[in-house]
Amino acid sequence: MIFRAVEDADLIARVRRSDIEAFNHLVSRWEKRVFNYLLRLTGNPDDSLDLSQDVFLKAYQNIRKLDDAARFGPWLFRIAHNEAYSLFRKRRPESDFEDAELIEREPARSVAPDLTIAVGAALDRLTPEQREAVVLKVYEGFKFDEIAEILGTPVSTIKSRLYTALDLLKTELAPSHSRGMR
Amino acid sequence: MSTCDRAEALRDYAFDELPAAEVRGMEQHIQTCEACAADLERLQMTTAALRSIPDREIPQRIAFVSDKVFAPSAAARFFSGFWNSSARLGFVSACVLGTALIVSAYRRTPPPAAEVRTVVETADVSKQVNEAVSKAVAQVRQEDARLTQATLKAAEAKHEREYLVLSEAVQVLQKQVNTNTLLASADVGPSGVVGQ
């Protein structure tokens, strides 16, 4: 992770000197993570791909505004978070996103279908804020302070959302642990 | 959720967020606290279940930046590099400032004759306007005087006519009075007998 941050910082320095290929490297390193993060938020591959394009375009246009190159990951995911919520607002302007959104998820290949469905259903029962905390911590592996930076929320709030979500998920997934992971 | 008062720290430990100084103490605690050990196991199983769903491959590579359309031209790269260099920018700013000073120093001053001429022209126009106004005022006064004179003459003529009419009326009355007086004296004799 440290080496990755160092390499990112080097690539960002090159991008700031108008080296397009350096930005291409950055895109290839982060595109899969950004796409999957957006897919877990939106549940729609087409929307996630379109949003990913927008995220990297905005990142390219604003990379000179990035103060600390070592924080590229949280900075990039903050753009992704903002883009996803802009889309939600466009689609449902009257919503305040407090109610859990039900997302239809396609089962992942190569995993027991019942476990995929169980995990998807359990995640869908969380509020969008809880789900995003789980995605950023469990799937993306960000530190609490990085998640706070991405969401613009205090660390204590992030921890509260995550741990409440994990209590719910433990209950939801308890019977399926043994089923799918056998 | 564990009832142990170190449940929160246990979760931080599970997510590798516990401060390094507290990690060893937590590991020793888990050895002795059955509730925390069980809670940790459930938490690890839950996260393992979540992580069992792998990331999807992106259906289409994001490659718009490598498209030549998005690539800046050589001139754009030069200017981009230029504006990002404070030293070069400072040098050029100094050059521009110096050039501006030289140009302003050698620039010809505008001829003063034009200003004088403008002032003179302005004075002439004012004089002409004043003369025209004075002339118009004199004409108006002259016309007023003429009208006043004519009105006075007409009034005098009217008064003269009325005087003549009144004089004639007075003369007629005087004649009637004289006639009546003569007739009366004729009717009364020298002895004072009337109508003999």
Side-chain angles (χ1 to χ4, degrees), chain B:
Chain B
M1 186 175 168
S2 170
T3 52
C4 178
D5 60 358
R6 299 189 70 181
E8 173 99 12
L10 177 78
R11 290 167 166 190
D12 289 350
Y13 169 77
F15 285 107
D16 204 19
E17 294 268 6
L18 200 64
E22 298 175 33
V23 169
R24 182 135 181 97
M26 177 54 72
E27 285 171 348
Q28 287 173 346
H29 173 73
I30 292 165
Q31 300 290 323
T32 57
C33 178
E34 284 185 18
C36 280
D39 207 29
L40 180 62
E41 190 182 347
R42 279 197 294 274
L43 194 57
Q44 286 171 337
M45 287 184 74
T46 303
T47 52
L50 291 170
R51 287 178 183 142
S52 67
I53 300 175
D55 277 355
R56 290 239 208 128
E57 285 303 321
I58 190 162
Q60 185 186 321
R61 297 297 303 277
I62 297 170
F64 61 88
V65 175
S66 62
D67 192 324
K68 294 292 178 195
V69 172
F70 290 92
S73 62
R77 282 201 302 275
F78 170 76
F79 280 111
S80 174
F82 180 79
W83 287 112
N84 289 324
S85 166
S86 55
R88 269 178 282 184
L89 200 59
F91 175 72
V92 169
S93 301
C95 288
V96 169
L97 186 62
T99 307
L101 286 170
I102 291 166
V103 167
S104 64
Y106 283 94
R107 203 179 64 172
R108 284 192 302 166
T109 52
E115 287 178 19
V116 172
R117 191 179 160 197
T118 308
V119 170
V120 169
E121 279 175 355
T122 307
D124 285 346
V125 169
S126 297
K127 189 181 175 186
Q128 283 174 0
V129 168
N130 287 336
E131 281 174 356
V133 169
S134 301
K135 192 177 176 183
V137 168
Q139 278 178 348
V140 169
R141 280 180 182 166
Q142 196 174 2
E143 184 67 13
D144 278 349
R146 190 183 64 76
L147 284 171
T148 307
Q149 197 72 22
T151 308
L152 280 172
K153 276 184 181 174
E156 280 175 6
K158 189 182 172 187
H159 289 159
E160 200 169 343
R161 280 195 303 274
E162 285 172 354
Y163 179 74
L164 285 173
V165 169
L166 282 172
S167 297
E168 282 172 3
V170 168
Q171 281 176 0
V172 168
L173 282 172
Q174 190 66 46
K175 280 178 184 174
Q176 280 181 345
V177 169
N178 291 339
T179 304
N180 290 336
T181 307
L182 283 173
L183 286 171
S185 64
D187 286 345
V188 179
S191 56
V193 178
V194 177
Q196 273 182 356

Side-chain angles (χ1 to χ4, degrees), chain A residues 77-114:
Chain A
F77 273 69
R78 174 144 185 88
I79 296 173
H81 166 84
N82 290 340
E83 288 294 307
Y85 274 71
S86 291
L87 181 72
F88 293 156
R89 277 189 211 101
K90 269 187 220 161
R91 297 261 168 95
R92 300 194 313 165
E94 73 285 359
S95 169
D96 58 1
F97 310 108
E98 287 299 319
D99 300 328
E101 246 179 301
L102 286 178
I103 297 170
E104 287 182 21
R105 297 170 194 281
E106 296 173 31
R109 297 180 195 91
S110 77
V111 180
D114 57 345

Side-chain angles (χ1 to χ4, degrees), chain A residues 1 4-5 8-9 12 26 30 33-34 37 55 66 68-80 136 142 146-147 149-150:
Chain A
M1 199 75 175
R4 181 176 187 134
D8 281 349
I12 290 160
L26 274 176
W30 287 91
R33 284 185 69 185
V34 169
Y37 164 67
V55 167
L66 173 62
D68 182 2
R71 309 288 285 182
F72 177 73
W75 179 78
L76 185 67
F77 273 69
R78 174 144 185 88
I79 296 173
L136 289 169
F142 282 111
E146 292 175 326
I147 298 173
E149 191 179 329
I150 292 166

Side-chain angles (χ1 to χ4, degrees), chain A residues 26 36 49 60 67 76 85 92 107 118 121 132 144 152 168 179:
Chain A
L26 274 176
N36 276 279
L49 187 61
Y60 182 64
D67 296 327
L76 185 67
Y85 274 71
R92 300 194 313 165
E132 193 167 19
F144 285 133
L168 293 167
R179 269 202 318 266

